Amino acid sequence: MKVPFVSFLPLERELGAELRAAFERVLARSWYIGGEEDAAFERAFARAVGVDHCVGVGNGLDALLLILKAMGVGAGDEVIVPSNTFIATALAVTYAGAKPVFVEPVPETFNLDPARIEAALFPRTKAILPVHLYGQPCDMDAVMDVANRHGLPVVEDCAQAHGACWRGRPVGSFGLAAGFSFYPGKNLGALGDAGAAVTNDAALAEKTRALGNYGSDRKYHHLYQGHNSRLDELQAAFLSVKLPHLARIGEDRRRTAARYLSEIRHPEVILPAVRPEATPVWHIFAIRCARRAELEAFLKAEGIETGRHYPIPMHLQPCYASLGLPEGAFPLAEEISRTELSLPMYYGMTPEEVSAVIDAVNRFPRGGQP
């Protein structure tokens, strides 16, 4: 059986009529930026996250960047980021003018290790930026404890974790602010690029919104040297159609993950761990295998598509060569980059598709034996 790595078709079939109606509604109004659709989605998404304010922006990277700039993070500052994550997290810090300081993950969850944060704190540290990677919540109790003891704000990167919870509380509601991405492949995905910044701080929300609107608080009045990053009406309308279904999308993914966790039994495959306090939403289901290339090829031959997240760690990317961080500087991130393989995970996977993935992984020849 062929199983794609991801498919949008099951949800699009269910919501297609509503999505087309949303398009027609926006088209009929002839209002495409900063209108009723954006305002309505912002209110609804703020409620879903459990915060007071939501600012729609162009994408998840901009959400983090605008938050950091609104906080006053800039040249000469340092921000703690995980060594194992998508590069957008570090880029947001760089674009703000600051320096990303990498901290190693907990290999079992792939997330930032709170026990390693304090060793990376220096006088120029201005914020901690944990990532709820692959839809797995960070240990926010421990992260907030470190942050509070050192008087540092926390900005959560929730780009892959819409609806995930730590101790029953939605991610994005713990820190000073949080950034979300609504890239189409995300659990809550637009039909193009989109993002949002959320916070309980009214002044921070106001400045974030102004920075995303050319630094303007009103037309032709520019308080800051800002950016052009706004959530357009069409994407807001599409997101408003999908948001009421986010909880069941998460439940569907958890059912698939539960089968992977209980039924994949291979001595060379390391499954992710789930903390009892965590409610993941499994944007990505990441396993590790020392023989990744062989497993990848075997699954491909069986019709199972897979992905790699992320094959080159950030400190070894050419764009960060100026940081002078050699191979071996972050061995855990490097180990994950060599061994991580992502299995198919999407809303609407059939039981037969899930079984096909499990069966194929379990049949992978041990130790290279046929």
Side-chain angles (χ1 to χ4, degrees):
M1 172 183 285
K2 291 188 178 297
V3 182
F5 177 63
V6 66
S7 174
F8 303 144
L9 291 178
L11 191 62
E12 288 172 353
R13 290 191 187 105
E14 293 179 17
L15 302 182
E18 292 180 67
L19 292 169
R20 284 187 286 272
F23 171 82
E24 294 293 344
R25 185 172 67 245
V26 173
L27 190 65
R29 285 179 177 154
S30 296
W31 192 290
Y32 304 112
I33 299 288
E36 295 178 21
E37 298 288 349
D38 186 15
F41 174 73
E42 288 181 351
R43 290 192 298 269
F45 192 66
R47 287 194 301 270
V49 178
V51 297
D52 294 333
H53 306 282
C54 171
V55 179
V57 298
N59 54 69
L61 169 56
D62 284 356
L64 295 175
L65 168 61
L66 295 172
I67 289 167
L68 292 172
K69 293 188 76 169
M71 291 166 54
V73 173
D77 293 337
E78 296 180 351
V79 176
I80 300 296
V81 301
S83 60
N84 177 58
T85 184
F86 183 55
I87 200 166
T89 312
L91 289 176
V93 176
T94 302
Y95 291 164
K99 175 185 176 182
V101 175
F102 301 123
V103 171
E104 290 274 64
V106 178
E108 293 78 13
T109 66
F110 301 97
N111 279 328
L112 176 69
D113 185 348
R116 297 173 181 263
I117 294 175
E118 285 188 286
L121 299 180
F122 297 97
R124 291 183 174 181
T125 305
K126 290 297 186 289
I128 301 172
L129 211 171
V131 181
H132 305 290
L133 196 65
Y134 307 149
Q136 275 260 50
C138 288
D139 181 346
M140 290 310 295
D141 294 336
V143 171
M144 295 306 298
D145 177 65
V146 174
N148 291 335
R149 283 191 284 108
H150 292 272
L152 291 170
V154 171
V155 178
E156 298 173 69
D157 183 339
C158 303
Q160 301 181 357
H162 317 72
C165 294
W166 178 261
R167 295 190 187 276
R169 180 176 169 181
V171 300
S173 66
F174 289 87
L176 174 63
F180 285 83
S181 167
F182 303 123
Y183 182 76
K186 300 299 169 63
N187 292 26
L188 179 61
L191 302 189
D193 267 324
V198 302
T199 182
N200 283 317
D201 187 314
L204 184 66
E206 183 179 0
K207 187 172 182 180
T208 300
R209 188 180 299 281
L211 283 168
N213 187 34
Y214 299 99
S216 175
D217 61 339
R218 61 184 186 274
K219 195 168 185 178
Y220 301 133
H221 185 256
H222 303 275
L223 296 171
Y224 320 105
Q225 295 178 7
H227 302 257
N228 175 19
S229 183
R230 299 167 294 190
L231 176 61
D232 68 67
E233 288 289 278
L234 193 57
Q235 299 305 334
F238 292 147
L239 289 166
S240 290
V241 169
K242 290 186 173 184
L243 181 57
H245 303 276
L246 181 59
R248 69 182 183 90
I249 290 170
E251 284 297 327
D252 184 86
R253 288 172 175 262
R254 280 191 287 274
R255 282 193 293 270
T256 297
R259 289 198 58 194
Y260 283 165
L261 290 168
S262 64
E263 298 178 40
I264 291 177
R265 290 291 180 265
H266 193 293
E268 296 178 68
V269 171
I270 302 173
L271 297 169
V274 180
R275 292 279 300 272
E277 305 93 335
T279 306
V281 290
W282 300 109
H283 170 62
I284 296 293
F285 191 92
I287 62 174
R288 286 187 291 143
C289 180
R291 295 165 55 220
R292 177 179 63 186
E294 295 172 60
L295 175 58
E296 186 179 42
F298 178 82
L299 293 176
K300 182 178 181 180
E302 295 290 317
I304 310 298
E305 293 183 3
T306 58
R308 293 184 180 187
H309 297 83
Y310 300 97
I312 304 175
M314 289 183 295
H315 68 285
L316 298 180
Q317 292 284 355
C319 65
Y320 278 120
S322 61
L323 293 178
L325 298 169
E327 187 171 354
F330 296 94
L332 293 177
E334 293 170 26
E335 172 70 12
I336 290 170
S337 74
R338 287 192 297 267
T339 60
E340 189 277 342
L341 189 68
S342 304
L343 298 182
M345 173 61 76
Y346 53 90
Y347 171 81
M349 283 187 74
T350 67
E352 293 77 17
E353 288 173 326
V354 178
S355 294
V357 175
I358 293 167
D359 177 65
V361 173
N362 287 339
R363 285 190 293 102
F364 176 51
R366 272 69 164 167
Q369 297 300 312

